[in-house]
Amino acid sequence: MSDMQTARLAADPANDTEPLRAFDLHELASMHFRPRDPLLLPWLHSQDLCMTFAARGIGKTHFAIAIAYAVATGGEFLRWKAPRPAKVLYLDGELPGAVMQRRMLMHCPSAEPAPGFLRVFTPDLPQMEGRGLPDVSTYEGQVELDRMIEPDTALVIVDNLSAWARTGRENEAESWHPVASWILALRRRGIAVILVHHAGKGGQQRGTSKKEDLLDVVIGLSRPKDYDPQQGAAFVCEFTKARNLAGEDAASLEIELGGDEERASWTWRTVEASTYERVVLLANEGMRPGEIATELDINKSTVSRHMKRGRSEGLITKGANDGTA
């Protein structure tokens, strides 16, 4: 047994109570459990454990801040809506204070959060002078963070996981266990968690895949296949895991972050709509379906479907090459 597990057993008053037992189905059916309240529909609810990951420079912190504002204000972000304001704690472990301050201000909506509904921690705060950042991989670090989480907090955003979980190795499943125990404890308190994480060289979340086993939602952010650096912060948002999403709710989105450092703005469309527009454009330029499939890195059947639709809607000219000539 690890030192952390020993400390937890010693500190947990539940160990002095009755032994664990399973309940009869009829008893279970009559119990009243904590309801799963919606925080950002359709994918984020109370007690949900989530991750968003991306390579460096994609825009994952901008993305996470926008989610924080939507939940804290009862507002909207992209196609997602918060039914009511809920309290958010944003734990930044990486950015200089001035940068975090600027980013928080540029994303602030016209309807600002009510006092106390969006609280932010950054390592540059005066209270951190001479102190190290808490390590959520240790029991002591978890205790420090728990002190910041108020009883009515609905969502905790941890940005980023590598900055906050520094003990052990990312690619070892055993090193993930302490963090998993902590976020599961938050779930039992009714709190949702979003972990912001880096992508590895293969494009998936960095480290052990065991991280995703207990998560309800995993969102990957990546560059579009035909990305042009002149587009700036443009990326594809894909639900790589979503336990309770299906159909249109789980559709991938193509997102662009515009505006300036004074005021950010977001635009989005589904990847399906974006691909359709690209197929129409390339078909009208005279490219064959096979060439379009190669150019956009999509299946020929997808190209054929979009070309058929484009012709029926009169968007593809009769002279466009459909590959039959």
Side-chain angles (χ1 to χ4, degrees):
M1 181 178 294
S2 68
D3 292 341
M4 181 183 295
Q5 290 172 317
T6 302
R8 282 191 181 280
L9 288 171
D12 190 351
N15 293 306
D16 297 328
T17 61
E18 63 182 87
L20 297 178
R21 70 183 183 93
F23 285 81
D24 179 80
L25 174 62
H26 298 284
E27 292 179 283
L28 182 70
S30 64
M31 289 182 177
H32 297 282
F33 292 99
R34 187 192 304 269
R36 291 181 69 248
D37 295 324
L39 299 179
L40 191 64
L41 291 171
W43 63 270
L44 181 62
H45 302 77
S46 60
Q47 298 186 289
D48 279 347
L49 304 180
C50 312
M51 175 188 288
T52 179
F53 67 90
R56 293 181 180 87
I58 295 290
K60 54 185 176 292
T61 293
H62 290 287
F63 183 80
I65 290 173
I67 290 173
Y69 270 120
V71 174
T73 61
E76 300 181 12
F77 175 47
L78 307 179
R79 67 192 303 181
W80 310 319
K81 299 181 180 180
R84 67 188 66 82
K87 290 189 174 182
V88 179
L89 172 63
Y90 197 108
L91 298 173
D92 170 58
E94 187 176 54
L95 294 178
V99 175
M100 190 62 184
Q101 183 183 59
R102 185 167 63 249
R103 291 192 181 184
M104 296 301 297
L105 292 176
M106 69 184 285
H107 287 286
C108 186
S110 55
E112 297 182 10
F117 269 73
L118 179 52
R119 296 183 301 118
V120 181
F121 174 92
T122 172
D124 269 2
L125 290 171
Q127 62 183 304
M128 291 299 293
E129 187 171 352
R131 299 176 61 179
L133 191 69
D135 184 351
V136 76
S137 300
T138 68
Y139 176 71
E140 294 76 16
Q142 293 174 12
V143 169
E144 281 198 80
L145 293 184
D146 284 343
R147 289 178 181 143
M148 281 196 285
I149 302 174
E150 297 176 342
D152 55 352
T153 298
L155 172 64
V156 174
I157 299 178
V158 181
D159 184 7
N160 61 63
L161 184 59
S162 297
W164 287 100
R166 302 185 301 280
T167 299
R169 298 180 179 179
E170 281 188 330
N171 60 349
E172 290 182 353
E174 187 174 348
S175 297
W176 167 245
H177 291 165
V179 182
S181 296
W182 181 62
I183 63 176
L184 284 170
L186 294 181
R187 166 183 275 174
R188 288 192 292 272
R189 293 166 56 184
I191 298 171
V193 179
I194 297 178
L195 305 173
V196 181
H197 193 34
H198 293 295
K201 293 181 180 180
Q204 299 303 308
Q205 63 89 13
R206 195 171 71 190
T208 175
S209 60
K210 192 174 181 65
K211 290 188 183 80
E212 299 189 24
D213 291 349
L214 61 80
L215 301 179
D216 301 287
V217 175
V218 180
I219 299 175
L221 307 178
S222 60
R223 294 293 189 204
K225 292 183 173 64
D226 58 346
Y227 175 72
D228 184 338
Q230 293 183 353
Q231 290 178 267
F235 47 89
V236 172
C237 167
E238 178 184 7
F239 288 95
T240 62
K241 179 179 181 180
R243 283 181 173 161
N244 300 303
L245 290 185
E248 187 66 17
D249 287 342
S252 298
L253 305 178
E254 190 169 291
I255 305 167
E256 287 193 27
L257 171 59
D260 51 38
E261 291 195 355
E262 295 293 327
R263 180 67 60 185
S265 64
W266 295 89
T267 57
W268 67 272
R269 55 184 174 174
T270 64
V271 168
E272 177 81 2
S274 174
T275 302
Y276 171 61
E277 292 177 14
R278 290 182 171 94
V279 169
V280 169
L281 176 64
L282 295 177
N284 283 326
E285 291 179 356
M287 293 182 67
R288 292 174 174 271
E291 295 171 331
I292 295 174
T294 300
E295 175 72 16
L296 301 181
D297 193 19
I298 57 178
N299 295 327
K300 289 183 180 180
S301 59
T302 301
V303 176
S304 177
R305 173 166 52 83
H306 285 319
M307 289 189 70
K308 182 178 180 180
R309 175 187 166 190
R311 290 186 183 283
S312 68
E313 294 178 352
L315 297 179
I316 296 180
T317 62
K318 291 183 178 179
N321 196 330
D322 61 3
T324 60

